[in-house]
Amino acid sequence: MPPSAETAPTVTPAAAAQLPATGRPRGRGRLRRLLVPCASIVGGLALWQLAITVLRPNELAVVGPDRVVRDAIDLFDAGTLGPDIGLSLAQLLIGLAIAVVAGVLTGLLLGTSRLLGEALGPWVTALYTIPVIAVAPLVIVGLGFGFTAKITIVAASAFFPLVINTQAGAAGTVGGGLRDVTRAFHANALETLVCLTLPGTVPHILTGLRLAIGRALIALVAADLFGSTSGLGYLIISGQQNLKTDDVYVGVVTLSVIGIAMTALVATAERRVHHARGARTEQA
Protein backbone atom coordinates (compact mmCIF):
# COMPACT_ATOMS: atom_id res chain seq x y z
CA MET A 1 0.00 0.00 0.00
CA PRO A 2 1.28 3.51 -0.73
CA PRO A 3 2.32 5.47 2.33
CA SER A 4 -0.25 7.87 3.71
CA ALA A 5 0.32 11.58 4.02
CA GLU A 6 0.92 11.12 7.76
CA THR A 7 3.69 8.52 7.27
CA ALA A 8 5.34 9.97 4.13
CA PRO A 9 8.88 11.19 4.78
CA THR A 10 9.29 14.93 4.95
CA VAL A 11 12.22 17.02 3.75
CA THR A 12 13.24 19.96 5.86
CA PRO A 13 14.23 23.23 4.13
CA ALA A 14 17.84 22.74 5.25
CA ALA A 15 17.95 19.28 3.69
CA ALA A 16 16.20 20.48 0.55
CA ALA A 17 18.82 23.18 0.12
CA GLN A 18 21.44 20.46 -0.17
CA LEU A 19 19.60 18.77 -3.03
CA PRO A 20 20.10 20.05 -6.59
CA ALA A 21 17.53 19.61 -9.34
CA THR A 22 18.58 16.00 -9.92
CA GLY A 23 17.87 15.05 -6.31
CA ARG A 24 21.47 14.10 -5.55
CA PRO A 25 23.28 15.71 -2.61
CA ARG A 26 25.58 18.55 -3.61
CA GLY A 27 28.45 16.97 -1.71
CA ARG A 28 28.29 13.95 -4.00
CA GLY A 29 28.31 16.22 -7.04
CA ARG A 30 31.38 18.06 -5.77
CA LEU A 31 33.16 14.77 -5.13
CA ARG A 32 32.36 13.57 -8.64
CA ARG A 33 33.61 16.84 -10.17
CA LEU A 34 36.88 16.32 -8.30
CA LEU A 35 37.36 12.60 -8.83
CA VAL A 36 36.43 12.32 -12.51
CA PRO A 37 39.01 14.85 -13.80
CA CYS A 38 41.68 13.43 -11.48
CA ALA A 39 40.97 9.89 -12.68
CA SER A 40 41.07 11.09 -16.28
CA ILE A 41 44.46 12.76 -15.77
CA VAL A 42 45.94 9.74 -13.99
CA GLY A 43 44.62 7.42 -16.69
CA GLY A 44 46.01 9.63 -19.44
CA LEU A 45 49.45 9.73 -17.80
CA ALA A 46 49.40 5.95 -17.39
CA LEU A 47 48.55 5.48 -21.08
CA TRP A 48 51.27 7.95 -22.02
CA GLN A 49 53.87 6.04 -19.99
CA LEU A 50 52.64 2.70 -21.38
CA ALA A 51 52.92 3.96 -24.95
CA ILE A 52 56.48 5.16 -24.32
CA THR A 53 57.43 1.81 -22.80
CA VAL A 54 55.92 -0.26 -25.60
CA LEU A 55 56.63 1.85 -28.68
CA ARG A 56 59.99 3.33 -27.58
CA PRO A 57 59.85 6.46 -29.79
CA ASN A 58 62.78 8.77 -30.50
CA GLU A 59 63.68 10.45 -27.21
CA LEU A 60 64.46 13.69 -29.04
CA ALA A 61 60.77 13.91 -29.91
CA VAL A 62 58.83 12.23 -27.08
CA VAL A 63 59.65 11.38 -23.48
CA GLY A 64 57.55 9.76 -20.78
CA PRO A 65 56.04 11.23 -17.61
CA ASP A 66 58.79 9.64 -15.51
CA ARG A 67 61.45 11.59 -17.41
CA VAL A 68 59.44 14.79 -17.11
CA VAL A 69 59.12 14.39 -13.33
CA ARG A 70 62.83 13.62 -12.90
CA ASP A 71 63.84 16.62 -14.99
CA ALA A 72 61.44 18.90 -13.11
CA ILE A 73 63.03 17.80 -9.81
CA ASP A 74 66.51 18.43 -11.22
CA LEU A 75 65.51 21.90 -12.42
CA PHE A 76 64.03 22.72 -9.02
CA ASP A 77 67.19 21.53 -7.29
CA ALA A 78 69.26 23.64 -9.67
CA GLY A 79 67.21 26.69 -8.69
CA THR A 80 65.89 27.48 -12.17
CA LEU A 81 62.34 26.11 -12.41
CA GLY A 82 61.00 27.91 -9.34
CA PRO A 83 62.01 31.41 -10.51
CA ASP A 84 60.78 30.61 -14.04
CA ILE A 85 57.35 29.66 -12.69
CA GLY A 86 57.22 32.73 -10.45
CA LEU A 87 58.13 35.12 -13.26
CA SER A 88 55.67 33.60 -15.73
CA LEU A 89 52.87 33.59 -13.15
CA ALA A 90 53.48 37.25 -12.34
CA GLN A 91 53.40 38.22 -16.02
CA LEU A 92 50.30 36.09 -16.61
CA LEU A 93 48.29 37.36 -13.64
CA ILE A 94 49.15 41.03 -14.16
CA GLY A 95 48.40 40.79 -17.87
CA LEU A 96 45.08 39.04 -17.19
CA ALA A 97 44.11 41.60 -14.56
CA ILE A 98 44.69 44.44 -17.02
CA ALA A 99 42.77 42.56 -19.71
CA VAL A 100 39.81 41.90 -17.40
CA VAL A 101 39.45 45.55 -16.41
CA ALA A 102 39.92 46.93 -19.92
CA GLY A 103 37.99 44.15 -21.66
CA VAL A 104 34.96 44.26 -19.37
CA LEU A 105 34.69 48.05 -19.51
CA THR A 106 35.06 48.08 -23.28
CA GLY A 107 32.59 45.23 -23.72
CA LEU A 108 30.01 46.93 -21.52
CA LEU A 109 30.41 50.14 -23.49
CA LEU A 110 30.01 48.39 -26.85
CA GLY A 111 27.16 46.22 -25.62
CA THR A 112 25.10 49.05 -24.16
CA SER A 113 25.61 51.44 -27.06
CA ARG A 114 24.34 50.09 -30.38
CA LEU A 115 26.09 52.87 -32.31
CA LEU A 116 29.50 52.15 -30.77
CA GLY A 117 28.99 48.41 -31.16
CA GLU A 118 28.28 48.74 -34.85
CA ALA A 119 31.12 51.24 -35.41
CA LEU A 120 33.86 49.46 -33.46
CA GLY A 121 32.73 45.83 -33.87
CA PRO A 122 34.65 45.31 -37.16
CA TRP A 123 37.81 46.68 -35.55
CA VAL A 124 37.51 44.30 -32.62
CA THR A 125 37.01 41.36 -34.98
CA ALA A 126 39.93 42.38 -37.19
CA LEU A 127 42.35 42.85 -34.29
CA TYR A 128 41.20 39.61 -32.65
CA THR A 129 42.20 37.59 -35.72
CA ILE A 130 45.78 38.91 -35.82
CA PRO A 131 48.20 36.16 -34.65
CA VAL A 132 50.09 37.14 -31.51
CA ILE A 133 53.31 35.81 -33.03
CA ALA A 134 53.03 38.48 -35.72
CA VAL A 135 52.78 41.48 -33.39
CA ALA A 136 54.96 40.28 -30.49
CA PRO A 137 58.24 41.39 -32.15
CA LEU A 138 56.80 44.85 -32.82
CA VAL A 139 55.71 45.25 -29.20
CA ILE A 140 59.12 44.15 -27.93
CA VAL A 141 60.93 46.53 -30.30
CA GLY A 142 58.72 49.37 -29.09
CA LEU A 143 58.82 48.61 -25.36
CA GLY A 144 62.12 46.78 -25.03
CA PHE A 145 63.11 43.35 -23.74
CA GLY A 146 61.53 43.70 -20.37
CA PHE A 147 58.65 42.94 -18.04
CA THR A 148 56.40 45.63 -19.51
CA ALA A 149 56.52 44.23 -23.03
CA LYS A 150 55.59 40.71 -21.86
CA ILE A 151 52.65 42.00 -19.82
CA THR A 152 51.45 44.08 -22.77
CA ILE A 153 51.49 41.06 -25.09
CA VAL A 154 49.61 38.91 -22.57
CA ALA A 155 47.04 41.63 -21.84
CA ALA A 156 46.43 42.35 -25.52
CA SER A 157 45.86 38.67 -26.29
CA ALA A 158 43.46 38.16 -23.38
CA PHE A 159 41.63 41.44 -24.03
CA PHE A 160 39.59 40.43 -27.08
CA PRO A 161 37.81 37.29 -25.77
CA LEU A 162 36.69 39.34 -22.79
CA VAL A 163 35.46 42.21 -24.97
CA ILE A 164 33.52 39.95 -27.34
CA ASN A 165 31.83 37.90 -24.61
CA THR A 166 31.08 40.91 -22.42
CA GLN A 167 29.61 42.79 -25.37
CA ALA A 168 27.36 39.84 -26.24
CA GLY A 169 26.18 39.50 -22.63
CA ALA A 170 25.55 43.22 -22.18
CA ALA A 171 23.68 43.51 -25.47
CA GLY A 172 21.47 40.55 -24.58
CA THR A 173 20.75 41.92 -21.13
CA VAL A 174 20.00 45.43 -22.33
CA GLY A 175 17.83 44.11 -25.15
CA GLY A 176 15.65 42.12 -22.74
CA GLY A 177 12.47 43.27 -21.13
CA LEU A 178 14.09 43.95 -17.76
CA ARG A 179 15.39 47.30 -18.98
CA ASP A 180 11.80 48.51 -19.24
CA VAL A 181 11.43 47.71 -15.55
CA THR A 182 14.39 49.90 -14.63
CA ARG A 183 12.98 52.71 -16.73
CA ALA A 184 9.62 52.34 -15.01
CA PHE A 185 11.38 52.91 -11.68
CA HIS A 186 13.23 55.90 -13.19
CA ALA A 187 16.66 54.34 -12.68
CA ASN A 188 19.52 56.40 -14.06
CA ALA A 189 22.26 55.03 -16.32
CA LEU A 190 24.61 54.14 -13.44
CA GLU A 191 21.88 52.33 -11.49
CA THR A 192 20.86 50.41 -14.61
CA LEU A 193 24.48 49.40 -15.21
CA VAL A 194 25.12 48.28 -11.62
CA CYS A 195 21.75 46.63 -10.92
CA LEU A 196 20.88 45.15 -14.32
CA THR A 197 23.55 45.11 -17.01
CA LEU A 198 26.58 44.04 -15.00
CA PRO A 199 24.86 41.21 -13.02
CA GLY A 200 23.29 39.88 -16.22
CA THR A 201 26.65 39.96 -17.98
CA VAL A 202 28.69 38.14 -15.31
CA PRO A 203 28.23 34.62 -16.82
CA HIS A 204 29.46 35.91 -20.19
CA ILE A 205 32.41 37.62 -18.52
CA LEU A 206 33.44 34.38 -16.84
CA THR A 207 33.17 32.50 -20.14
CA GLY A 208 35.35 35.14 -21.76
CA LEU A 209 37.85 34.81 -18.92
CA ARG A 210 38.15 31.06 -19.50
CA LEU A 211 38.94 31.70 -23.17
CA ALA A 212 41.30 34.54 -22.24
CA ILE A 213 43.38 32.27 -19.99
CA GLY A 214 44.26 29.99 -22.91
CA ARG A 215 45.17 32.89 -25.18
CA ALA A 216 47.23 34.50 -22.42
CA LEU A 217 49.28 31.33 -21.92
CA ILE A 218 49.97 31.13 -25.65
CA ALA A 219 50.97 34.80 -25.70
CA LEU A 220 53.28 34.22 -22.74
CA VAL A 221 55.28 31.66 -24.70
CA ALA A 222 55.21 33.79 -27.86
CA ALA A 223 56.60 36.76 -25.92
CA ASP A 224 59.53 34.66 -24.71
CA LEU A 225 60.52 33.83 -28.28
CA PHE A 226 62.29 37.17 -28.64
CA GLY A 227 65.19 37.94 -26.37
CA SER A 228 63.95 36.36 -23.15
CA THR A 229 66.38 34.90 -20.62
CA SER A 230 63.92 33.49 -18.07
CA GLY A 231 60.38 32.20 -17.72
CA LEU A 232 58.60 29.04 -18.78
CA GLY A 233 58.54 30.14 -22.41
CA TYR A 234 62.30 30.56 -22.33
CA LEU A 235 62.63 27.10 -20.77
CA ILE A 236 60.67 25.60 -23.68
CA ILE A 237 62.56 27.53 -26.35
CA SER A 238 66.01 26.89 -24.89
CA GLY A 239 65.15 23.21 -24.55
CA GLN A 240 64.26 23.08 -28.25
CA GLN A 241 67.44 24.85 -29.27
CA ASN A 242 69.68 22.68 -27.08
CA LEU A 243 67.85 19.40 -27.85
CA LYS A 244 66.80 19.05 -24.21
CA THR A 245 63.43 17.48 -24.82
CA ASP A 246 62.87 16.92 -21.10
CA ASP A 247 63.02 20.68 -20.50
CA VAL A 248 60.50 21.29 -23.28
CA TYR A 249 58.02 18.88 -21.72
CA VAL A 250 58.55 20.31 -18.24
CA GLY A 251 57.68 23.78 -19.51
CA VAL A 252 54.67 22.59 -21.49
CA VAL A 253 53.30 20.46 -18.65
CA THR A 254 53.80 23.27 -16.12
CA LEU A 255 51.91 25.71 -18.33
CA SER A 256 49.16 23.11 -18.75
CA VAL A 257 48.86 22.66 -14.99
CA ILE A 258 48.61 26.42 -14.51
CA GLY A 259 45.93 26.61 -17.20
CA ILE A 260 43.94 23.74 -15.70
CA ALA A 261 44.09 25.25 -12.20
CA MET A 262 43.03 28.73 -13.32
CA THR A 263 40.26 27.39 -15.55
CA ALA A 264 38.97 25.25 -12.68
CA LEU A 265 38.78 28.33 -10.44
CA VAL A 266 36.77 30.20 -13.07
CA ALA A 267 34.50 27.16 -13.58
CA THR A 268 33.86 27.10 -9.82
CA ALA A 269 32.89 30.76 -9.93
CA GLU A 270 30.57 30.04 -12.87
CA ARG A 271 28.80 27.29 -10.94
CA ARG A 272 28.32 29.55 -7.92
CA VAL A 273 26.91 32.31 -10.10
CA HIS A 274 24.57 29.79 -11.72
CA HIS A 275 23.36 28.49 -8.34
CA ALA A 276 22.90 32.03 -7.03
CA ARG A 277 20.86 33.04 -10.07
CA GLY A 278 18.77 29.89 -9.76
CA ALA A 279 18.12 30.57 -6.08
CA ARG A 280 17.01 34.13 -6.81
CA THR A 281 14.72 32.88 -9.58
CA GLU A 282 13.05 30.36 -7.23
CA GLN A 283 12.57 33.03 -4.55
CA ALA A 284 11.00 35.33 -7.12
Side-chain angles (χ1 to χ4, degrees):
M1 295 179 61
S4 62
E6 291 77 11
T7 59
T10 59
V11 179
T12 64
Q18 299 297 320
L19 294 174
T22 57
R24 291 192 299 265
R26 288 183 181 177
R28 187 178 302 174
R30 294 192 188 100
L31 183 62
R32 185 193 63 190
R33 287 195 298 267
L34 177 64
L35 291 180
V36 171
C38 290
S40 175
I41 292 172
V42 171
L45 292 175
L47 289 175
W48 179 9
Q49 185 63 53
L50 178 62
I52 294 294
T53 304
V54 173
L55 301 178
R56 297 185 179 276
N58 188 343
E59 293 184 352
L60 292 177
V62 184
V63 296
D66 57 336
R67 289 272 299 273
V68 176
V69 172
R70 286 200 301 268
D71 189 58
I73 294 173
D74 292 340
L75 290 173
F76 262 117
D77 292 340
T80 59
L81 186 56
D84 284 343
I85 294 175
L87 178 63
S88 293
L89 267 178
Q91 294 170 345
L92 179 67
L93 294 177
I94 295 174
L96 276 174
I98 295 172
V100 168
V101 174
V104 169
L105 291 177
T106 305
L108 288 173
L109 184 62
L110 298 182
T112 54
S113 173
R114 181 176 299 178
L115 178 61
L116 285 177
E118 293 174 350
L120 299 181
W123 289 99
V124 172
T125 303
L127 294 173
Y128 178 62
T129 58
I130 296 176
V132 63
I133 195 68
V135 298
L138 303 178
V139 174
I140 291 177
V141 169
L143 299 178
F145 299 94
F147 199 80
T148 304
K150 306 292 178 59
I151 292 174
T152 301
I153 294 170
V154 171
S157 297
F159 172 78
F160 293 101
L162 285 159
V163 171
I164 293 171
N165 281 273
T166 303
Q167 180 183 0
T173 302
V174 169
L178 290 177
R179 188 173 187 181
D180 296 333
V181 177
T182 61
R183 287 174 176 172
F185 283 96
H186 303 288
N188 57 36
L190 180 59
E191 291 171 337
T192 301
L193 175 65
V194 173
C195 299
L196 171 66
T197 307
L198 189 56
T201 311
V202 167
H204 293 80
I205 294 173
L206 293 175
T207 301
L209 181 57
R210 284 208 290 174
L211 298 174
I213 289 171
R215 284 184 62 90
L217 288 169
I218 295 172
L220 191 65
V221 177
D224 285 337
L225 282 172
F226 310 98
S228 179
T229 58
S230 58
L232 292 173
Y234 172 74
L235 177 65
I236 295 172
I237 295 162
S238 64
Q240 292 174 342
Q241 295 173 344
N242 298 315
L243 299 180
K244 294 182 178 180
T245 309
D246 296 359
D247 289 0
V248 176
Y249 276 82
V250 169
V252 170
V253 170
T254 304
L255 287 172
S256 299
V257 171
I258 293 173
I260 290 172
M262 295 182 67
T263 303
L265 289 175
V266 177
T268 300
E270 285 182 308
R271 285 194 297 269
R272 292 185 177 181
V273 168
H274 176 73
H275 288 316
R277 289 166 66 91
R280 286 196 299 268
T281 302
E282 289 178 358
Q283 291 175 358

